[in-house]
Amino acid sequence: MSSETATESDRWIRSYLPGPAEAPHLVHFPHAGGSASYYRPFCASLSDRFNALALQYPGRQDRRDEPCVTDLHVLADLLFDRLRQLADRPMAFFGHSMGALLAFEVTRRFERELNTSPVALFLSGRRAPSRHRDEIVDLSSNESLLAEIRELSGTDPRLLGDDEMLEMIMEPLRADYRALGAYRFVAEPPVRCPVTVLTGADDPRTSQDEAAAWQEHTTGAFALRVFPGGHFFISENVADVTGFVAERLSAVPLPG
């Protein structure tokens, strides 16, 4: 099955606007509580140069009848099993917040299992995994979760007043926070691919020092770009973020 046919019908991957023939895949990994549709404007902006794709984790939107995965290592295994089928052409990963951890863990699996790497790894809105913080969120209470997402400004405020939408958001958000709370970094050799880190100047969850520490986790080229904004600076700077990603990815030599 060709990768294009697979993405059209695949529950894991969304292709909103197919890119040019043989263009590199650029796979977007959503944040905690997030879904593939969050990346629709990013895919639209990048689809003239890349085959921009977005992942849909279980338990949200059209997959809401499936149980959420509450172990990031298990979810990374599942994503790797799916994404390895797209290795027919060069591939890059972009992950934001929890998605950055998943993109990193899936990259580790590509190198460990297939002895290959994405041509570029973009990690956004997340401190390096070697920089642990004890962050406790009360998962028993919707109110505490709402306070958390209001602080991070990760959800349209209009949705927070809609009981039906709120119910759809809460379950995957709670599951993802449970997975993040249980995640423990396992030391392995650094990845080999180029790593570009994006961070918000006023992100309460990631300092610039914590973002820069990702350099310890790659033997490839490293770059750090600070954007204005908080944790969800990418929503506030879609054109600048996609322009930066396109520029960096276009400069990467492709195999073959």
Side-chain angles (χ1 to χ4, degrees), residues 41-42 45-46 49 94 122 124 196-199 225-229 233-249:
F42 297 83
S45 179
L46 291 160
R49 288 153 288 185
F94 181 103
F122 295 93
S124 170
T196 300
V197 172
L198 300 80
T199 191
R225 170 74 181 270
V226 180
F227 288 84
F233 67 91
I234 63 173
S235 299
E236 305 161 27
N237 301 280
V238 173
D240 289 342
V241 167
T242 55
F244 175 69
V245 168
E247 180 183 5
R248 296 284 302 176
L249 186 51

Side-chain angles (χ1 to χ4, degrees), residues 10-98:
D10 196 297
R11 58 186 178 147
W12 287 93
I13 300 175
R14 301 293 180 269
S15 176
Y16 296 112
L17 286 171
E22 306 307 317
H25 297 303
L26 175 55
V27 183
H28 295 83
F29 292 68
H31 53 277
S35 58
S37 63
Y38 176 82
Y39 282 115
R40 185 187 292 271
F42 297 83
C43 292
S45 179
L46 291 160
S47 63
D48 61 329
R49 288 153 288 185
F50 311 105
N51 188 35
L53 307 169
L55 295 174
Q56 188 77 298
Y57 309 144
R60 54 216 78 200
Q61 292 186 330
D62 58 336
R63 302 190 68 184
R64 62 184 177 274
D65 293 334
E66 300 175 49
C68 297
V69 179
T70 56
D71 184 315
L72 289 189
H73 292 288
V74 171
L75 185 53
D77 288 340
L78 294 168
L79 292 169
F80 167 67
D81 285 343
R82 182 60 194 87
L83 290 172
R84 68 189 297 171
Q85 299 174 43
L86 299 184
D88 59 331
R89 66 172 87 170
M91 189 181 323
F93 295 159
F94 181 103
H96 182 72
S97 196
M98 183 185 83

